[in-house]
Amino acid sequence: MPPRFNIANVLLSPDGETFFRGFRSKIHAKGSLVCTGEGDENGVFVVVDGRLRVYLVGEEREISLFYLTSGDMFCMHSGCLVEATERTEVRFADIRTFEQKLQTCPSMAWGLIAILGRALTSCMRTIEDLMFHDIKQRIAGFFIDHANTTGRQTQGGVIVSVDFTVEEIANLIGSSRQTTSTALNSLIKEGYISRQGRGHYTIPNLVRLKAAADGDRDDDDD
Ligand code: HEM
């Protein structure tokens, strides 16, 4: 497998020096739509700073697929909606300009492969969750993902910082805010997760939580 793609490495290389020439800088306020899912100017953007949510909407509900942060790139023609969840700066190029840029800086293709891989993983995870997992399993899976990526092992368990509101978690796991809140509180009551304060949680026993994510809750009566 190639080393994990980092746009900074490309931009600091001789190829990268001229890469952003021809890109337009755009600032998106929190809550604004970067991409509406149809009729947008086609192109590719790179996130410079901030955070974007990629999601799909139906008549009554929506589902978040994944988030883009600094260094990630994405296109305007995927059919997904993209919303700024905080003030976000992107550099945008129309599709023709981006195509030419790819020819002069082929290592940028790693960025495209990386985001396509993440999008695919996230969509497969979403399908698996919706088809096979109940709400508690989905929440357990969400916390395990965070433990694996940003968790810090301590004597009392794995400390996890979660930069998402309950509503955002609900949209990621394909449930409502109320159901997610009730199921999360229940996992807390059952000792799988403990809440330390806003956005800070401890997982006292990761193996037990993993079993819960697999549907094997020891105190399961629902
Ligand atoms: C993060 C980057 C990208 C993502 C997630 C992405 C995603 C997609 C998706 C989902 C489609 C199917 C759309 C549909 O059938 O409605 C598509 C089509 C296409 N994409 Fe991309 N794309 C990306 C980057 C690019 C780039 C960089 C180029 C060219 C330089 C490109 C060129 C095309 C073309 C030519 C099509 C076919 C359009 C058509 O059938 O009319 N894409 N892409």
Side-chain angles (χ1 to χ4, degrees):
M1 213 161 66
R4 195 180 160 84
F5 175 80
N6 182 347
I7 200 167
N9 294 341
V10 178
L11 297 179
L12 293 173
S13 73
D15 274 357
E17 217 170 274
T18 53
F19 185 76
F20 275 133
R21 257 182 235 156
F23 279 65
R24 278 176 274 153
S25 174
K26 290 186 180 183
I27 306 281
H28 295 276
K30 179 178 178 176
S32 64
L33 281 182
V34 175
C35 185
T36 64
E38 54 181 36
D40 302 293
E41 182 189 358
N42 197 4
V44 173
F45 57 85
V46 178
V47 180
V48 177
D49 197 23
R51 187 169 76 146
L52 301 174
R53 177 171 74 105
V54 180
Y55 66 108
L56 295 171
V57 280
E59 281 200 358
E60 288 179 3
R61 28 200 317 201
E62 57 187 53
I63 184 156
S64 300
L65 297 176
F66 50 91
Y67 283 76
L68 302 169
T69 55
S70 173
D72 288 335
M73 58 176 75
F74 202 62
C75 73
M76 300 292 283
H77 59 262
S78 70
C80 298
L81 286 84
V82 182
E83 174 198 39
T85 58
E86 56 189 61
R87 181 189 179 277
T88 300
E89 182 185 352
V90 301
R91 299 274 166 86
F92 174 89
D94 63 72
I95 206 81
R96 286 195 77 110
T97 306
F98 190 84
E99 214 175 333
Q100 287 159 6
K101 291 283 176 182
L102 266 182
Q103 282 162 21
T104 57
C105 186
S107 46
M108 268 295 159
W110 289 119
L112 291 175
I113 294 169
I115 198 64
L116 292 175
R118 256 176 58 207
L120 187 62
T121 306
S122 155
C123 291
M124 289 191 308
R125 173 67 182 264
T126 303
I127 292 170
E128 194 186 355
D129 264 357
L130 295 178
M131 287 289 293
F132 306 120
H133 297 158
D134 70 20
I135 302 296
K136 280 187 182 175
Q137 282 177 269
R138 295 183 211 170
I139 296 176
F142 172 86
F143 276 90
I144 286 164
D145 284 350
H146 271 68
N148 288 338
T149 50
T150 59
R152 194 163 48 85
Q153 182 71 54
T154 65
Q155 278 201 331
V158 181
I159 296 183
V160 182
S161 293
V162 175
D163 198 15
F164 293 102
T165 62
V166 172
E167 184 159 16
E168 286 174 332
I169 297 175
N171 281 332
L172 275 167
I173 63 169
S175 181
S176 70
R177 194 194 62 77
Q178 188 55 53
T179 309
T180 303
S181 171
T182 308
L184 176 59
N185 286 333
S186 166
L187 284 173
I188 290 172
K189 227 169 84 187
E190 290 159 12
Y192 288 99
I193 297 167
S194 81
R195 190 169 7 221
Q196 309 300 334
R198 208 180 158 78
H200 297 289
Y201 298 85
T202 301
I203 301 168
N205 183 339
L206 199 56
V207 174
R208 187 169 168 247
L209 188 67
K210 278 184 179 150
D214 290 338
D216 187 14
R217 288 195 296 278
D218 46 21
D219 33 13
D220 195 359
D221 53 8
D222 53 21

